[in-house]
Amino acid sequence: MKTSIATVSISGTLETKLQAIAAAGFDGAEIFENDLLSTHLDARQVAGMMADLGLACTMFQPFRDLEGLPEPARSRAFDRLERKFDVMTDLGTDLVLVCSSCSPQAEGDRSRMLDDLAEAAERAGKRGMRIGYEALAWGRHVNDHREAWALVRDVDHPALGLVLDSFHSLARGIPSSSIGDIRGDKLFIVQVCDAPQLQMDYLGWSRHFRCMPGQGDFPLDDWSEAIRRTGYDGYWSLEIFNDRFRAGSASGVALDGLRSLRLLEGGVTRPVSTSPALPAKAVPRGVEFLEFAASHAEADELGAMLRPLGFRPTARHRSKDVTRWTQGPVNIVINCEPEGLAHSFDVVHGASVCAIGLTLDDVPGALARADALSVPRFEQAIGPDEWPIPSVRGVGGSLLYFVDAASRDAMWAHEFPAALEPAVPVQLTGVDHIAQTMQFEEFLSWQLFYVSLLDMRKTPQLEIADPMGLVQSQAVESTDGSVRFTLNGSLASQSLSSRFIQNYFGAGVQHVALTCTDIFASVDAAIAAGIERLEIPRNYYDDLEARWGLDPALIEAMAARDILYDRAVEADGSESEYFQFYTRAFARRVFFELVERRRYTGYGAVNAPIRLAAQARHKPDFLD
């Protein structure tokens, strides 16, 4: 796949954009006219800079309102086109994007449009240029790629071809099977984006909510496969209009862009059999461990919180100041080493989750996929007797370890041979989900990280009401639900998510949910052992009783323990239930949740405002 990106997709000056695009590894870039107009470099200097960076100028764009205009507007449009050809010569590109007319002056007479496009093609051909004609979803008379293709086909000039943009086709629900009618040699460039499914005008949707492949809801696999079947072998170019990307890091957005094209090449939601460009997505089998970085004093405080939840320090590392805490199948590792990544993490963030270990069947395949997606590995010196566990960089500079499922028991036995306290009876059955909080601008980037690297699916995005503003939340989860991450970000400076980032100095794990089979017994044990719990108002339980008609005895049992409740109708029509219990925050950063699922597949979103309001009443938990 030859990769390109439109300069409008990322932030900064044109020079900054081109440097970021080249550094990310793109083959070329589309020069957006406004970027050229706002730089002090002339077109020849831009061409020279691109050549030095190893970038091809894949297209100059956009040219608006050409076909169907009455005189004198028609003559002025062709004069503008000739001047753009001059600019293109200096830029070193032969392709210009011509959008279907939106002008209120444009007439819908098809013969007029054919004549105008034929004349434009003839002029372009004489200058050694090509015109790529694109149907805008909001075009006045041409707003469907089938209509655009019919015009290009009937003009039948070698200098006139088609530009396909995924937004304009998929936003309107145009069947991708219709692409099969297009001749591959007449498809001059393919522009790619994803987007969430929204009910709004096409122009506003396009200008503010486009995103990278894999970050939205469009059926891009069908669309891209239909294009490949035409024999198209040109550039696949990102064209993204998104307010978050314009406010983000140019280098970060560019890297995400290239990663998203690699994902598209291998299949966004399913493998593309004709283009095995990537190793298969790694299938996570479970959360093997959570590693906390902590000082000795912080480790004691954390241990005092873990004990009421049933954890015990069961083993010590063979050579490092690291302790393994267990409760049933759940492993929490507390790292108090005086140097290394965990120590640095603790210095910056305080006691918190610095690494997550996932169990995989194919660790080499996961690493190969990470390399192909430019996900950086983390490597540090290990002792001659230590078990090597490969890892990549994750959210907020933390690590994501890949643990071989076949040797996990041997790993634990080798690394933690020194027994400490005996484990207590099993109360917990696993890690239900890990909630990670990040800057709002990073949200889509980390969502892409998980769904491109691992075999995980996205749930619909939600907006959750915090007392101080809205929080955007979305879960990514493995097919069997054994690994779940919830991602959270907010633009509201005083929301819980934003306060966490301010206090924590960056993105990270804000809470860990643990599963149990009898939440009442687990909560009773935790309360008896002195856990500090989040207090839920009585009004909440009065509403529960009215809403669901629950047994008053159950309501009282939940109210006495501050347990939250939700009920849902699942896909098979059966009813399901969800019980949640929250601890107070440890060290003003991380808190724990106990959950019991009774066929329930969601995350209790209806209870999130209640939980957030309760935490807001304990504001010192998250502020110095």
Side-chain angles (χ1 to χ4, degrees):
M1 175 186 282
K2 294 189 291 186
T3 59
S4 170
I5 184 171
T7 56
V8 72
S9 305
I10 57 179
S11 64
T13 64
L14 180 57
E15 299 93 312
T16 300
K17 294 181 181 196
L18 293 175
Q19 289 165 353
I21 290 167
F26 282 91
D27 300 309
E30 300 176 25
I31 297 298
F32 198 73
E33 186 174 48
N34 281 354
D35 286 321
L36 182 62
L37 296 179
S38 59
T39 182
H40 291 292
L41 302 178
D42 63 33
R44 290 182 180 178
Q45 290 172 315
V46 172
M49 181 181 181
M50 295 184 74
D52 291 342
L53 291 170
L55 293 173
C57 184
T58 54
M59 186 164 64
F60 182 51
Q61 65 121 328
F63 187 92
R64 305 185 189 279
D65 299 326
L66 175 68
E67 80 282 11
L69 297 177
E71 291 293 356
R74 182 181 187 274
S75 295
R76 287 199 298 269
F78 278 97
D79 287 344
R80 283 192 296 118
L81 185 62
E82 290 287 354
R83 295 183 67 178
K84 298 310 175 189
F85 291 154
D86 294 337
V87 175
M88 292 163 60
T89 298
D90 290 343
L91 278 176
T93 184
D94 70 341
L95 182 62
V96 62
L97 171 65
V98 172
C99 305
S100 60
S101 287
C102 298
S103 171
Q105 293 182 280
E107 299 172 1
D109 181 81
R110 190 171 190 273
S111 62
R112 284 283 307 279
M113 290 191 283
L114 286 169
D115 288 344
D116 291 344
L117 290 173
E119 180 173 341
E122 186 64 22
R123 291 188 183 209
K126 289 178 179 178
R127 299 284 298 271
M129 302 294 178
R130 296 179 301 150
I131 291 173
Y133 184 60
E134 175 184 68
L136 295 178
W138 53 89
R140 181 169 173 80
H141 301 294
V142 177
N143 50 41
D144 183 319
H145 72 240
R146 292 170 293 191
E147 298 167 343
W149 166 238
L151 290 169
V152 169
R153 179 197 62 210
D154 291 352
V155 169
D156 195 23
H157 193 288
L160 180 67
L162 192 68
V163 173
L164 276 181
D165 183 312
S166 58
F167 181 86
H168 299 305
S169 297
L170 298 179
R172 297 188 69 94
I174 299 169
S176 294
S177 58
S178 64
I179 294 171
D181 296 331
I182 299 168
R183 285 170 27 207
D185 65 304
K186 298 298 286 184
L187 186 50
F188 283 178
I189 197 167
V190 169
Q191 292 182 317
V192 188
C193 76
D194 206 338
Q197 288 291 352
L198 301 172
Q199 295 298 317
M200 63 183 299
D201 68 282
Y202 294 123
L203 180 59
W205 189 5
S206 174
R207 287 292 177 262
H208 300 284
F209 296 99
R210 292 191 184 211
C211 53
M212 306 293 184
Q215 294 177 331
D217 303 319
F218 282 171
L220 286 172
D221 287 338
D222 290 339
W223 179 82
S224 60
E225 186 64 14
I227 290 172
R228 293 186 186 97
R229 285 196 293 268
T230 70
Y232 176 74
D233 63 353
Y235 286 98
W236 294 73
S237 189
L238 294 169
E239 186 185 44
I240 313 291
F241 301 94
N242 188 296
D243 298 336
R244 278 187 279 190
F245 295 171
R246 295 187 187 102
S249 157
S251 59
V253 173
L255 183 57
D256 279 350
L258 189 72
R259 185 173 294 162
S260 73
L261 286 177
R262 296 288 181 236
L263 174 64
L264 179 69
E265 187 176 16
V268 175
T269 60
R270 64 175 188 268
V272 176
S273 58
T274 58
S275 181
L278 286 172
K281 291 182 178 180
V283 179
R285 299 301 183 188
V287 177
E288 187 62 31
F289 64 84
L290 294 163
E291 180 178 351
F292 277 78
S295 67
H296 285 104
E298 292 167 330
D300 291 342
E301 294 175 19
L302 179 58
M305 190 173 195
L306 292 175
R307 283 184 180 275
L309 297 174
F311 287 89
R312 294 295 182 270
T314 54
R316 185 176 299 281
H317 191 271
R318 63 187 304 111
S319 61
K320 293 183 176 180
D321 193 357
V322 181
T323 305
R324 178 189 182 188
W325 289 68
T326 59
Q327 164 48 222
V330 184
N331 295 287
I332 290 179
V333 174
I334 301 180
N335 189 329
C336 298
E337 277 288 283
E339 57 185 25
L341 180 132
H343 174 70
S344 300
F345 209 87
D346 181 49
V347 169
V348 173
H349 302 290
S352 54
V353 176
C354 65
I356 299 167
L358 298 182
T359 309
L360 306 175
D361 291 332
D362 182 10
V363 171
L367 291 171
R369 186 174 179 90
D371 291 342
L373 292 169
S374 300
V375 174
R377 295 196 196 188
F378 175 77
E379 296 179 355
Q380 65 179 356
I382 62 172
D385 59 344
E386 288 183 38
W387 191 284
I389 311 174
S391 63
V392 297
R393 288 284 188 179
V395 173
S398 64
L399 301 183
L400 195 63
Y401 281 102
F402 297 152
V403 179
D404 187 345
S407 59
R408 52 181 296 274
D409 291 337
M411 176 196 74
W412 286 115
H414 181 274
E415 290 294 279
F416 290 86
L420 297 174
E421 297 183 25
V424 300
V426 174
Q427 299 177 32
L428 306 177
T429 56
V431 175
D432 185 84
H433 62 273
I434 300 167
Q436 296 180 315
T437 298
M438 58 212 59
Q439 296 282 358
F440 184 76
E441 294 80 9
E442 296 180 302
F443 185 93
L444 289 175
S445 179
W446 288 113
Q447 178 228 76
L448 178 63
F449 170 86
Y450 284 118
V451 301
S452 63
L453 178 61
L454 304 171
D455 188 15
M456 303 187 83
R457 63 193 177 200
K458 302 171 296 186
T459 64
Q461 290 186 17
L462 301 173
E463 284 189 343
I464 295 171
D466 182 288
M468 303 301 291
L470 291 177
V471 177
Q472 184 176 13
S473 182
Q474 185 171 36
V476 292
E477 54 190 23
S478 60
T479 303
D480 62 1
S482 63
V483 176
R484 300 182 179 100
F485 293 97
T486 58
L487 312 180
N488 305 282
S490 176
L491 282 173
S493 62
Q494 289 302 307
S495 68
L496 180 68
S497 296
S498 295
R499 296 202 310 271
F500 170 81
I501 290 171
Q502 293 159 12
N503 189 48
Y504 189 68
F505 300 106
V509 172
Q510 189 173 14
H511 92 258
V512 177
L514 305 167
T515 55
C516 54
T517 55
D518 185 344
I519 194 166
F520 294 94
S522 295
V523 170
D524 282 345
I527 292 173
I531 198 73
E532 290 189 75
R533 52 179 158 155
L534 191 65
E535 298 170 2
I536 306 301
R538 178 69 208 193
N539 290 341
Y540 168 80
Y541 296 100
D542 293 341
D543 178 69
L544 269 189
E545 188 171 10
R547 182 157 34 113
W548 297 113
L550 298 174
D551 186 332
L554 176 60
I555 292 289
E556 292 306 316
M558 290 191 292
R561 297 167 175 83
D562 293 300
I563 293 174
L564 298 118
Y565 175 87
D566 190 28
R567 180 186 290 181
V569 177
E570 299 301 321
D572 62 2
S574 64
E575 284 198 336
S576 62
E577 296 180 298
Y578 191 55
F579 298 84
Q580 302 170 272
F581 169 86
Y582 290 96
T583 72
R584 294 277 294 276
F586 161 71
R588 300 188 297 277
R589 286 182 286 277
V590 185
F591 57 95
F592 291 89
E593 176 186 2
L594 298 182
V595 305
E596 181 185 342
R597 295 180 180 270
R598 298 179 182 176
R599 300 184 307 279
Y600 185 96
T601 56
Y603 296 87
V606 68
N607 290 325
I610 306 300
R611 185 257 299 175
L612 288 165
Q615 289 173 318
R617 289 192 294 273
H618 298 296
K619 199 170 182 179
D621 275 8
F622 298 95
L623 290 178
D624 290 323

